[in-house]
Amino acid sequence: MKRDGHIHTPFCPHGTKDSLEQYIEKAIECGFSEITFTEHAPLPTNFEDPTPDKDSGMDPKLLRSYIETLNELKSTYSSKIKINIGLEIDYIIGYETETRAFLDIVGPLLDDSILSVHFLKWNDDYCCIDFSKEVFLDFARKVGSVESVYNLYYDTVKKSIEANLGRFKPRRIGHPTLIHKFQLAHGESIDDTTQIKSILDLMKEKRHELDLNSAGLSKVDCQEPYPPKPMIEYAKTIELPMVFGSDAHRVEDLHQHYEIVIPK
């Protein structure tokens, strides 16, 4: 069974306007039997998005339309493909209460979801760590070193796994090595194998799933999936449940690198 569990939509403010039908038709054409749309959830209303265009999360006013539209498409295509309604939820240190309250409301309306770390807290400021290599490198200077940023990222991912976000907390942890996105830009050799294994072990312990995310292979400064292939093999050895995710923000990228990440 071919499944893609991490797909964005025209409801994404930093994505494309490719239609939901285009994504679905391509998935069917490519032989996928199940997909999950996981649009970036609205950020907490009291959180200041650090990105220039304040477009990291869906407009809260569009959330109802997003769910209603997908419900209609689930019905329309039910004989051809299983469509799951999902969201990619941001774990943000200091906003656990708001996130849990949001999940208590929207959780019953979802079939699937992902919990991801995009924002790192340093002192009283937040950084969108995957926004650009310039932002990453500037943040590394503030924190003290690239290695310190890696450590901060993995510590935040661990907190996300351990966080009490209520009964509707997402089971799948999104791209747990996203911090590698600009590894070829900073050019430092950092051995984070032990940290990644520790995170995968914790995911197993807490009964989470791994978002086997292929998007990094298309990132010029990454050139590997999240997590990298040796860590995918390690995840297999501990029998950690994994779900392939292309993290597509446009139809062209749907199912990208599936045959590399999930070889026959």
Side-chain angles (χ1 to χ4, degrees):
M1 182 185 82
K2 294 172 73 172
R3 176 184 177 192
D4 192 334
H6 192 156
I7 304 171
H8 292 276
T9 74
F11 287 85
C12 179
H14 59 265
T16 64
K17 294 304 178 185
D18 291 351
S19 72
L20 290 164
E21 288 85 355
Q22 287 177 288
Y23 284 100
I24 296 167
E25 293 289 350
K26 180 175 179 178
I28 295 169
E29 180 183 333
C30 292
F32 280 74
S33 55
E34 183 176 352
I35 57 174
T36 299
F37 287 107
T38 51
E39 196 45 77
H40 292 284
L43 299 176
T45 56
N46 57 338
F47 175 71
E48 182 69 25
D49 185 349
T51 64
D53 294 330
K54 315 296 182 187
D55 61 354
S56 297
M58 187 195 306
D59 184 338
K61 295 190 292 292
L62 298 178
L63 183 59
R64 174 176 289 188
S65 177
Y66 171 75
I67 293 173
E68 290 177 348
T69 302
L70 286 180
N71 267 316
E72 292 174 4
L73 291 171
K74 279 179 66 172
S75 177
T76 301
Y77 287 93
S78 61
S79 65
K80 297 181 179 180
I81 191 170
K82 181 181 180 185
I83 299 172
N84 297 310
I85 301 173
L87 287 171
E88 184 173 13
I89 307 292
D90 273 288
Y91 175 75
I92 308 173
I93 287 180
Y95 291 84
E96 292 85 353
T97 300
E98 293 86 343
T99 302
R100 178 172 178 166
F102 173 78
L103 285 168
D104 284 345
I105 295 170
V106 76
L109 306 176
L110 303 178
D111 305 309
D112 193 12
S113 55
I114 294 174
L115 186 66
S116 298
V117 171
H118 298 98
F119 301 103
L120 296 184
K121 184 179 182 182
W122 176 250
N123 295 329
D124 292 325
D125 295 323
Y126 291 86
C127 173
C128 183
I129 203 60
D130 66 319
F131 182 77
S132 69
K133 64 181 180 182
E134 291 79 15
V135 167
F136 178 96
L137 294 170
D138 182 63
F139 188 66
R141 284 190 287 270
K142 290 178 181 176
V143 175
S145 67
V146 170
E147 187 171 10
S148 294
V149 176
Y150 274 51
N151 293 338
L152 180 59
Y153 174 80
Y154 291 127
D155 181 62
T156 306
V157 173
K158 286 183 178 180
K159 283 183 168 62
S160 76
I161 296 168
E162 295 172 330
N164 179 5
L165 299 179
R167 61 189 292 239
F168 297 107
K169 178 182 177 178
R171 292 187 60 235
R172 192 150 68 259
I173 302 300
H175 42 57
T177 60
L178 182 66
I179 201 67
H180 288 182
K181 183 175 180 179
F182 302 112
Q183 62 184 351
L184 300 180
H186 63 68
E188 296 187 25
S189 179
I190 296 173
D191 184 1
D192 53 3
T193 300
T194 299
Q195 289 167 294
I196 299 170
K197 285 183 175 180
S198 176
I199 284 172
L200 297 176
D201 288 339
L202 184 61
M203 289 169 59
K204 173 71 173 180
E205 177 190 336
K206 298 295 184 180
R207 299 183 178 180
H208 283 298
E209 298 175 335
L210 169 63
D211 170 41
L212 202 56
N213 194 301
S214 64
L217 283 162
S218 291
K219 305 303 180 185
V220 65
D221 290 314
C222 183
Q223 299 295 302
E224 67 181 22
Y226 311 122
K229 294 198 78 173
M231 294 297 97
I232 294 174
E233 294 306 312
Y234 176 75
K236 291 177 181 177
T237 68
I238 63 172
E239 299 182 331
L240 177 65
M242 295 179 279
V243 178
F244 171 80
S246 59
D247 206 348
H249 286 69
R250 56 182 182 171
V251 171
E252 181 182 351
D253 293 336
L254 188 64
H255 317 320
Q256 57 186 335
H257 311 301
Y258 179 84
E259 302 300 338
I260 296 175
V261 177
I262 311 288
K264 293 181 180 179

